[in-house]
Amino acid sequence: MSGEGGAAWVFGENIDTDQLAPGGTLKGSIEEIAKHCLVRVNPSFASEVKPGDFVVGGRNFGIGSSREQAAQALHHHGVAAVIAPSFGGIFYRNALNFGLLVVECPDAGRIGEGDRLTLDPVKGEVKNLTNGESYACQPVPAHLLEIVEAGGLVPYLEAIRS
Amino acid sequence: MGQTLAEKLIARAAGKDSVKPGETVTAQVDLAMMHDSSGPRRFEPILERLGAKVWDPDKIVLVSDHWVPAVDAQSAQILDQTRRWAFANDVKAFYDMVGICHVVLPQGGHLKPGMFVVGGDSHSTTGGAFGCYMFGVGSTDMAGVLVTGETWIRVPESIRIEWKGKLGPGVCAKDINLALCKALGLGGAEYRTVEYTGELIDDLTMEERMTLSNMAAELGAQAGLIAPDQTTASYIRDAGGDPGEIDPWQSDADAEYFASHTFDGSALEPLVAAPHSPANTAPASSYEGIKIDQAYIGACTGAKLADLRMAAEVLEGRQVASRSRLLVAPASRQDMMAAQDDGTLSKLMAAGAVMMPTGCGACAGFGGGVLHENEVCISSTSRNFQGRMGAQSSKVYLGSPYSVAAAAVAGEIRDPREFLNGS
């Protein structure tokens, strides 16, 4: 398998914030929470995901609580982007605020476990290097991409306030 | 063309005459509500990094409700940091361990129709019951609001949900929510705004309207709006607030909706959502025979005074089944005191209920009352995601306070109407 792009970790529909950041772990640090991220649905995810990998979900990815540790835990693991047909609205905002790319992609279901992917968020295209397919996705709106490119809302605010 | 209530509320906050769905605007925030879990412990480091002060401490309502009372050093630290931040920043509307934010906020008279409000919690949709545009945000978004007093919003399309008819005995707003979760699907609103309307909604008390707007979150809606009326105004006046104007905050007759749904409440029966989704809903009677270890009356969704009264109606003169337990965590101190004054608490305790502190409690796996492996619970809360209330293999059924109380008495899920006088 090519080392290009990032590997896809594929999850189903309605991945909720309790699966991303379980309530019982929220008292702890993000390092601690990240160890529990998604392990209820895939026990090897938190220990084996590599920086630059992609998380691919079904519809409603990140539905549930407003706890931003759900997005922060994925960001902590160095996930390049979350690709799903639709997102929980609060999760979507939280992810961008951490500089984690989230893209709406109707064809996300065509991506297989371990497929190598690349993403162009401006053009709105996911390329699947494993099967040669490419999928159209919603381009990330320009004002939100600015926040992501700054590294998240806090560095973004830091920059515009200085 | 006319405008929906959502469009009018967002346009006002954005300083525009009108807005259209899809447009992204910057809105001025009238009020920011936050709690101990999403609050100072998360955004204080951000404010320090930015060297920023809060834009207006009088527009902040801070409520410690998640990690209360402290059960260990970590939760005690969170609560201590919350208090210190409130005092240091001169936040006058700080509610420490007196109830759940979504209930304390209106009970404190803080909401007024027409306001644009952000809340650091997903069930902030509850404020929509008062004709406010209120929605949940994460802590970093909240930090942005605290520094700038504004936030961005993409104007959502609206979904009109009309309810006709009248609810029968033993049927309540919680059953409406579960019916809607089934009809639209979990997250089915896809971050549009839902607007509840119709003669049945007009007849609901504010507490029941709050229950309805609360679970707009489970529909995946950004907000769950109910246009204000005299019921809204008198609640706000009783809470010591100012209801302001009501007329500007109604949808126009020719407003455009993404979709419209009409339901008949007269045909609605008590519903229960099976593990692990609020949309996994069927009549309570179809789950008859499912044994429960724990019955839980709690949360912003299911432990207000009206909810406690529903449970008491079933429990009066009865006992919790010998192999089951009933835990009750009232939504606020005000609700608890009112339930004491009218005899509701005595009925609950005489039936064997274990009274818990006011707060979010076991709903999200915080506080007392969480579940062991394989335990089965029926709960008046809003979510039954796998593992949310404790162990991964525990199972949570959602139902109205009537249904939870009936299951507590029977030791198994039953149609609560069997336990109501005169039915």
Side-chain angles (χ1 to χ4, degrees), chain B residues 361-397:
Chain B
C363 170
F366 303 173
V370 296
L371 302 168
H372 183 50
E373 298 291 348
N374 297 310
E375 282 199 310
V376 178
C377 178
I378 183 166
S379 175
S380 67
T381 55
S382 56
R383 288 182 185 142
N384 57 348
F385 299 153
Q386 188 163 13
R388 178 173 165 91
M389 275 184 86
Q392 176 69 356
S393 61
S394 61
K395 294 184 179 65
V396 179
Y397 291 80

Side-chain angles (χ1 to χ4, degrees), chain B residues 18 83 93 97 177 230 313 316 318 389:
Chain B
S18 65
R83 289 182 196 109
M97 308 202 293
N177 279 328
Q230 286 311 319
E313 220 181 304
E316 186 172 12
R318 296 193 171 92
M389 275 184 86

